[in-house]
Amino acid sequence: MSAGLAERLPRLLSLVPYLLARPGIPLADVAADFGIGERQLRRDLELLWMCGLPGYGPGDLVDLSFSGDTVTVTEDAGMRRPLRLTTAEGTALLVALRTLGDLPGMVDTDAVRRATAKIERAVGDAGAGGVAVEVSRQEQATTAAVREALEAGRALRIRYYTAGRDDVTRRTVDPMRLLLVEGRGYLEAWCRRAGAVRLFRLDRVDDVAVLDEPAAAPPDAAPTDLSGGVFPARPEHGSAVLLLEPWARWVAEYYPVEQVVEIPPEQPPEPDGDDTGHDHGHRGHGSEGRARVLLRYADPAWLVRLVLGLGGGARILEPAGLAAEVARRAAQALAQADGAAGDRTGGNGTGAERG
């Protein structure tokens, strides 16, 4: 199916029930609601005239009545009912709507909440009633400030955490637009520090201020191409396979990962006669098991620091060179810790007081 047909077919299927609910609606209003021009709308309506039920005789085809610049459906050919969402589609839509609703200033939140209520009623108990989307107060405040700057045409000063370099920087940026990609909010802006367009994840902005000076992005500052995702693969990027323990699975949500493979949790050992009730070092995490993920990175040193900082929560399976570097750094840190402990006990490791 061509891209044009794939986009047009859902619209054609939605037009008839939409028009049935709004007899005599102006063509301009229909085009605006569907996000198309009036010329395209007229082509769609002309095609509908040839659509209908097998037999394709009188009463079998869709029929429309035009009066001036308005249109009314006089024969629906059985296309009275609107498209129905599957449970999976309804759940995905609810998650997106709830994320939007928790980001004040990004959209018309009242309209989003009304749409959310309608989808919740349509999906019912089998849907996403238990799905919760949490947006921190800091992210809400950041989104509101960014929206204010966009509406006023003002520059922003932000303090931003760059996960790929494990670094916090202060930047002055000229905001261009707010985005919601893969369930996360982003600010797209001209970064004066980098001299280029950059995407800033809103939950990684820990301080923001709207400046009095006007935003001044260069005329040739082009929007980011997101067709390949926010973090597209580049030739200079490396990739590593990580094994995440249950308590470190947040890594797969915080950093861009691919090929997530779920590993069922191991069954706890059967208690024996001398069991004392200790967990022998195991941590309780319900039924959630480990995960094996593919993570792309720009800086190998950053990935080594990440794994070391997780304290056994993650292990590099591939490449072997990075796994060896993590082991070397860990052994080095242990040796330094042992040396420091020896110094505190007087150098002989016994700590005995002299008589």
Side-chain angles (χ1 to χ4, degrees):
M1 183 182 292
S2 67
L5 182 58
E7 178 183 345
R8 194 179 187 189
L9 180 58
R11 186 169 66 242
L12 290 170
L13 293 173
S14 301
L15 265 172
V16 174
Y18 171 91
L19 294 173
L20 281 169
R22 302 163 179 82
I25 186 173
L27 292 172
D29 292 351
V30 181
D33 284 349
F34 280 85
I36 57 176
E38 286 192 47
R39 185 176 178 183
Q40 178 62 56
L41 174 62
R42 290 183 181 275
R43 286 199 294 264
D44 289 347
L45 296 176
E46 290 169 0
L47 181 57
L48 279 176
W49 258 323
M50 298 180 284
C51 297
L53 299 171
Y56 306 108
D60 296 327
L61 299 176
V62 174
D63 201 4
L64 307 169
S65 173
F66 292 89
S67 177
D69 289 330
T70 66
V71 60
T72 300
V73 174
T74 56
E75 176 57 53
D76 59 48
M79 296 176 64
R80 179 172 294 274
R81 295 177 63 186
L83 293 175
R84 297 180 64 88
L85 294 174
T86 66
T87 298
E89 290 169 337
T91 300
L93 186 56
L94 276 176
V95 171
L97 286 170
R98 288 173 181 169
T99 302
L100 282 171
D102 285 338
L103 292 174
M106 181 171 282
V107 293
D108 181 349
T109 52
D110 288 338
V112 167
R113 286 167 185 160
R114 289 195 300 270
T116 301
K118 290 179 180 179
I119 299 297
E120 286 175 339
R121 288 194 298 269
V123 172
D125 294 337
V131 176
V133 178
E134 295 184 1
V135 178
S136 68
R137 291 184 179 179
Q138 178 61 45
E139 186 174 350
Q140 292 181 21
T142 297
T143 305
V146 170
R147 193 65 177 174
E148 177 188 345
L150 283 167
E151 292 175 352
R154 300 290 184 182
L156 286 167
R157 181 175 294 117
I158 64 174
R159 187 169 65 202
Y160 187 70
Y161 171 65
T162 304
R165 293 193 299 271
D166 192 25
D167 187 26
V168 176
T169 55
R170 292 186 179 273
R171 304 164 184 248
T172 300
V173 301
D174 303 296
M176 296 166 60
R177 57 176 176 165
L178 269 172
L179 299 167
L180 187 68
V181 185
E182 298 174 354
R184 295 194 180 278
Y186 290 86
L187 161 66
E188 183 178 54
W190 176 265
C191 177
R192 299 182 186 179
R193 182 173 182 266
V197 176
R198 290 287 186 266
L199 285 175
F200 301 98
R201 237 173 77 167
L202 296 179
D203 62 343
R204 294 179 182 171
V205 177
D206 61 11
D207 188 42
V208 59
V210 181
L211 303 180
D212 290 335
E213 61 182 284
D220 59 348
T224 306
D225 179 9
L226 298 174
S227 58
V230 177
F231 190 60
R234 296 176 182 170
E236 66 270 21
H237 289 168
S239 61
V241 178
L242 271 61
L243 180 65
L244 301 177
E245 297 295 333
W247 63 90
R249 287 177 60 112
W250 61 266
V251 172
E253 301 174 2
Y254 195 72
Y255 299 101
V257 300
E258 303 168 0
Q259 301 177 11
V260 178
V261 177
E262 300 286 343
I263 301 176
E266 297 178 359
Q267 294 297 323
E270 293 293 335
D272 52 28
D274 59 352
D275 190 289
T276 59
H278 296 295
D279 65 0
H280 304 289
H282 295 284
R283 307 189 191 187
H285 296 279
S287 60
E288 190 176 52
R290 298 183 294 173
R292 186 166 60 246
V293 301
L294 177 67
L295 184 147
R296 285 184 280 109
Y297 58 90
D299 183 3
W302 166 81
L303 182 58
V304 170
R305 291 196 304 271
L306 172 67
V307 174
L308 287 171
L310 290 170
R315 180 159 58 93
I316 297 179
L317 304 180
E318 299 176 16
L322 274 181
E325 177 62 15
V326 170
R328 186 190 69 80
R329 292 277 299 275
Q332 185 181 53
L334 286 173
Q336 291 176 346
D338 288 343
D343 290 341
R344 287 196 298 271
T345 58
N348 60 5
T350 63
E353 293 183 359
R354 297 191 179 186

